[in-house]
Amino acid sequence: MARLKIAYVGGGSTRGPGTVASFIHQGENFAGSEIVLIDFDPEKMQIIKTMADKMSRDRGVDITISYTTNRRAGLTDCDAVLTSYRPGGFEARHLDESIPLKYGIVGQETQGPGGFFMALRSIHVMQGILQDMEQVCPKARVFNYTNPINIISEAVTHHSDVPIISFCEGPYYFPGTIADAAGLDPRKLDSVMVGLNHGCWTVQHLYEGQDVMPLLREGYERRLREGGTDEFHMRLLKLAITMNSLPADYFQYYYFRDEVLDYHLNKPTTRAQDILEQVPGYWQHYREQAAAEHPVLDPARSRGGINELELAIDAMDAIYNDRKEILPVNIPNRGVLPDLPDDRVVEIRGYLDRNGVVGLADGHLPPQTLPLVKALAEYQYLTAEAAWCGRRADAIQALVSHPLVLSLEKAEKMYDEMAAAHKDYLPERLLS
């Protein structure tokens, strides 16, 4: 098995315990490896280390956990770098979600102006990470979970030689959510999704070997008659049967824009505020488990239990242990998805072995989905360029091109208000 040094940037976050638990769960695949947590708060990283050491002992796993607040020191001589960080924390996410609502636009962590500013902040941090890697671990690759993963990968692949793969479990759970809403067993669904991260559609959707669409239509009509299914799942069902393809959940922001905006305008709290209210309880649970003789994460009291960032861990195992596995990945297109430019980052299936990752061709996107997906792909490219090397004017050009914005007046006003709110996390060039 591969004996690695793995840096985990963002390792002191609320997702840190669950991610380290995922490594331990796969401990036999990383025997003798060291995981270095890199973050700002040593007290929280010590909690995670204490808990992880006990969990490793209980499972008989040979993994060493260390931590540091010195990013360059933590990256030194690493083989792999796992990135999952949030510049500004959930407080910044609250601004991403709340400020755009004043302009009649939904802001969210990956969509709209919220995702746009998350990208500006995250790419600014990623530039520093890459500069450090080029100096102290030039042969390492990045396994990225920081949102918005597609825009971060877009920037890195155009401007850095450091290899990067970004991950999201969406292609696994998006189709199952819709099948479940129709009263079907998600385990019997065989689906393949392609497109963009949080912007993908199925190009294969079989239920027990047959086209699932007739069953979804029956399920939708039954739900209409019987009731009992919430608006969110009914929207997804309706969108699937209308477009004849199963969508990513996030398409609700576009195809049901008015309904979603109305929901958020009338919701008393943002999603970030909801999470912030839960954070103290997470850390109370983590402290309790760190003090326990035999720690066990409770998914109801921790952010994700033992299932955090496991797709990236699967990918590390596939590459460094030459597993020859197929996983959903976000990588440059290189002709695999013929509907989008070759140099755009796309979400597709990839074949992973000791040589890295190669995209698999699964055909064309449904033509009825292309106008929006293409628009989002070009917006993402413009945003990546602005974040990496642009100024205010370039950023506004990118923001106004977003399908949820398309108003120059709103884009300018939103940009200036949000840039001022996030000024501590942005390069000076984006403020002028």
Side-chain angles (χ1 to χ4, degrees), residues 267-419:
K267 188 175 181 291
T269 59
T270 62
R271 173 62 177 155
Q273 288 176 313
D274 296 340
I275 296 173
L276 278 168
E277 186 177 357
Q278 297 170 329
V279 165
Y282 295 149
W283 284 107
Q284 179 183 350
H285 176 57
Y286 300 150
R287 288 185 179 93
E288 291 170 355
Q289 294 311 303
E293 182 63 22
H294 303 287
V296 177
L297 288 176
D298 178 0
R301 298 181 62 205
S302 59
R303 201 151 184 255
I306 65 168
N307 298 312
E308 288 298 319
L309 313 194
E310 62 180 346
L311 188 53
I313 298 170
D314 289 342
M316 290 181 195
D317 178 37
I319 291 174
Y320 296 110
N321 290 319
D322 197 25
R323 299 292 193 190
K324 301 176 175 61
E325 292 189 7
I326 295 175
L327 300 171
V329 294
N330 287 261
I331 57 174
N333 187 7
R334 298 185 180 130
V336 172
L337 186 56
D339 310 296
L340 295 175
D342 285 353
D343 63 346
R344 295 293 179 269
V345 168
V346 292
E347 189 161 77
I348 53 178
R349 296 191 305 157
Y351 175 82
L352 288 78
D353 63 10
R354 64 182 180 180
N355 298 310
V357 58
V358 176
L360 301 179
D362 284 311
H364 289 268
L365 278 160
Q368 61 273 22
T369 70
L370 280 177
L372 179 54
V373 174
K374 286 183 175 180
L376 289 171
E378 295 310 306
Y379 150 77
Q380 290 172 184
Y381 171 73
L382 291 173
T383 300
E385 290 296 296
W388 190 274
C389 56
R391 303 185 68 84
R392 174 183 178 275
D394 305 296
I396 288 174
Q397 289 174 359
L399 180 58
V400 76
S401 74
H402 193 286
L404 291 179
V405 181
L406 299 179
S407 164
L408 183 56
E409 182 179 10
K410 289 183 178 181
E412 289 180 324
K413 290 181 177 179
M414 261 192 309
Y415 183 87
D416 288 338
E417 181 174 353
M418 295 182 77

Side-chain angles (χ1 to χ4, degrees), residues 111-160:
Q111 309 301 307
F116 175 84
F117 270 90
M118 178 68 169
L120 299 189
R121 300 194 305 277
S122 297
I123 290 171
H124 183 45
V125 173
M126 183 62 79
Q127 286 176 302
I129 294 170
L130 296 174
Q131 289 171 4
D132 286 345
M133 289 180 64
E134 290 166 0
Q135 295 296 316
V136 301
C137 56
K139 295 183 180 180
R141 68 175 71 236
V142 175
F143 296 77
N144 178 57
Y145 252 99
T146 301
N147 276 324
I149 67 167
N150 42 352
I151 303 178
I152 291 175
S153 278
E154 193 76 57
V156 174
T157 57
H158 283 280
H159 294 283
S160 173

